[in-house]
């Protein structure tokens, strides 16, 4: 059996399991219960949740800006922000974000002079930044609230504490390697050119801030119904994000619902997650998809105009040449 076939089987199994979790969560409540809970979320919580989601996408734009610098190229921030937002607003909803968002990124960056190799480096760089952010915020949450993670995962407090320590050590090791090692970091067939220390430090900062804002957006939805501590929500958010990344389930469907139920049992948890999904996934998609389509149309018009101008110039040369 080929690795590609194994990956497809695992991906399909993960999606099916995620929908099973979603079904198990939703079947306990009626539609009226969920709608009533949704209407109970104050506007102030929705607006704050939207602001935190926007802050997260701003951090994700910084991922791309740092990634472009990592390749040794230079682009204005508005361009990297455009490529990042459009690609991730789609990738977050489609699933397998590294591939789906990478394809959209290539559409933009290729127009601006970057090569396929440059785009691959940016995608890998952003993936490493995601991992650094998860480990930093996740490690801090596990150490500060080990019992929450123990209850959700079934691990002992000592095991959770050990994982938290290891999670925080990893970014420190990454920074040390970036400061002193200039050769590529190679693990089996995987190779990664370490960035310089300032870029590596910025990765840790914006990566952590990104997930802190994601957790804050989810916290606003949950705290509309119950006293949910931010660190507890952050732990839940990190665990759900790790599970979603591993499973490649679009938007972590089913995974997030089942995880959040540990904090807030009842229809309110479903309503909170639905509101979070609208804010963090669906609204960006509603903006990103039309933006992609408009940019494609504009690019085609510019290409057609350039081709027409070139054709007119050639015709003018031929007309002016001696018979």
């Amino acid at each position: 059996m080929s690795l590609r076939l194994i990956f497809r089987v695992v991906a399909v199994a993960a999606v099916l399991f995620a929908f099973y979790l979603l079904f198990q969560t939703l079947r306990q409540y009626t539609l009226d219960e969920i709608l009533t809970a949704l209407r109970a979320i104050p506007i102030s919580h929705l607006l704050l949740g939207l602001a935190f989601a926007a802050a997260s996408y701003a951090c994700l734009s910084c991922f791309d800006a740092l990634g472009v610098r990592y390749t040794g190229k230079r682009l204005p921030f508005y361009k990297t922000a455009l490529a990042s937002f459009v690609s991730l607003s789609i990738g977050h909803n489609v699933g397998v974000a590294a591939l789906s968002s990478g394809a959209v990124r290539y559409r933009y960056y290729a127009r601006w002079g970057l090569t396929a190799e440059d785009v691959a480096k940016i995608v890998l760089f952003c993936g490493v930044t995601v991992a650094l952010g998860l480990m930093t915020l996740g490690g801090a949450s596990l150490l500060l609230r080990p019992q929450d993670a123990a209850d959700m995962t079934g691990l002992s407090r000592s095991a959770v504490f050990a994982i938290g320590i290891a999670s925080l050590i990893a970014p420190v090791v990454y920074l040390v390697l970036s400061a002193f090692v200039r050769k590529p970091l190679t693990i089996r067939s995987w190779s990664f050119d370490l960035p310089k220390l300032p870029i590596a430090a910025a990765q840790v900062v914006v990566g952590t801030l990104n997930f802190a804002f994601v957790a804050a957006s989810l916290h606003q939805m949950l705290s509309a119904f119950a006293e949910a501590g931010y660190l507890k929500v952050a732990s839940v958010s990190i665990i759900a994000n790790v599970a979603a990344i591993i499973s490649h389930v679009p938007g972590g469907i089913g995974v997030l619902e089942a995880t959040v139920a540990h904090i807030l049992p009842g229809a309110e948890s479903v309503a909170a997650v639905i509101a979070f999904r609208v804010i963090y996934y669906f609204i960006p998609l509603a903006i990103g998809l039309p933006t992609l389509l408009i940019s494609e149309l504009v690019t085609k018009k510019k290409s057609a105009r350039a081709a027409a101008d070139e054709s007119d110039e050639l015709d003018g040369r031929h007309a002016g040449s001696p018979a």
Side-chain angles (χ1 to χ4, degrees):
M1 185 180 292
S2 67
L3 288 176
R4 181 176 296 180
L5 180 59
I6 292 173
F7 176 78
R8 288 178 179 175
V9 170
V10 171
V12 170
V15 170
L16 291 176
F17 181 65
F19 277 105
Y20 169 76
L21 290 176
L22 183 62
F23 171 74
Q24 290 293 100
T25 302
L26 292 178
R27 72 171 187 163
Q28 305 174 52
Y29 318 109
T30 66
L31 179 61
D32 286 340
E33 287 177 325
I34 295 172
L35 292 176
T36 299
L38 273 171
R39 287 191 288 266
I41 300 176
I43 295 296
S44 59
H45 284 253
L46 293 173
L47 292 176
L48 279 172
L50 188 60
F52 286 129
S56 168
Y57 277 93
C59 288
L60 292 171
S61 297
C62 292
F63 286 18
D64 275 57
L66 290 169
V68 171
R69 286 189 59 189
Y70 166 72
T71 65
K73 304 296 174 62
R74 291 289 186 272
L75 285 175
F77 181 74
Y78 77 88
K79 288 187 174 182
T80 56
L82 175 64
S84 173
F85 176 77
V86 172
S87 63
L88 291 174
S89 66
I90 296 171
H92 282 164
N93 288 277
V94 172
V96 196
L99 295 179
S100 54
S101 66
V104 178
R105 278 187 174 105
Y106 181 75
R107 296 290 298 174
Y108 283 101
Y109 287 133
R111 299 169 192 162
W112 301 328
L114 274 66
T115 64
E117 182 181 355
D118 291 331
V119 177
K121 286 182 178 180
I122 292 170
V123 172
L124 177 58
F125 179 90
C126 291
V128 171
T129 309
V130 166
L132 290 169
L134 278 173
M135 287 186 289
T136 305
L137 183 62
S141 300
L142 292 178
L143 293 183
L144 293 171
R145 296 296 296 264
Q147 191 58 50
D148 295 331
D151 292 340
M152 284 184 287
T153 61
L155 298 173
S156 65
R157 284 176 61 96
S158 58
V160 170
F161 194 80
I163 294 172
I165 291 291
S167 297
L168 289 178
I169 288 175
V172 174
V173 172
Y174 180 77
L175 292 175
V176 171
L177 292 175
S178 297
F180 297 105
V181 178
R182 294 273 59 90
K183 293 182 180 180
L185 181 64
T186 303
I187 303 175
R188 294 186 179 180
S189 60
W190 184 80
S191 181
F192 178 70
D193 291 309
L194 289 163
K196 295 181 179 179
L197 182 59
I199 294 180
Q203 278 183 278
V204 175
V205 172
V206 296
T208 305
L209 285 174
N210 168 55
F211 285 106
F213 287 131
V214 173
S217 183
L218 178 59
H219 176 256
Q220 284 299 313
M221 302 305 103
L222 291 171
S223 62
F225 301 105
E227 290 293 331
Y230 172 78
L231 286 175
K232 188 171 185 176
V233 175
S235 298
V236 167
S237 178
I238 292 297
I239 292 172
N241 270 286
V242 171
I245 289 171
I246 293 173
S247 65
H248 298 296
V249 175
I253 293 176
V255 178
L256 184 58
E257 284 81 357
T259 310
V260 166
H262 283 273
I263 290 182
L264 185 66
E268 290 82 2
S269 67
V270 178
V273 173
I274 290 173
F276 172 74
R277 287 196 183 286
V278 170
I279 287 171
Y280 196 82
Y281 294 101
F282 300 154
I283 290 177
L285 180 63
I287 299 172
L289 195 55
T291 302
L292 175 63
L293 296 176
I294 292 170
S295 64
E296 289 293 319
L297 289 174
V298 170
T299 300
K300 285 183 179 180
K301 285 184 178 180
K302 287 183 177 179
S303 299
R305 189 180 301 115
D309 291 343
E310 183 178 353
S311 177
D312 290 342
E313 184 179 348
L314 288 174
D315 291 341
R317 288 177 181 176
H318 290 155
S321 60

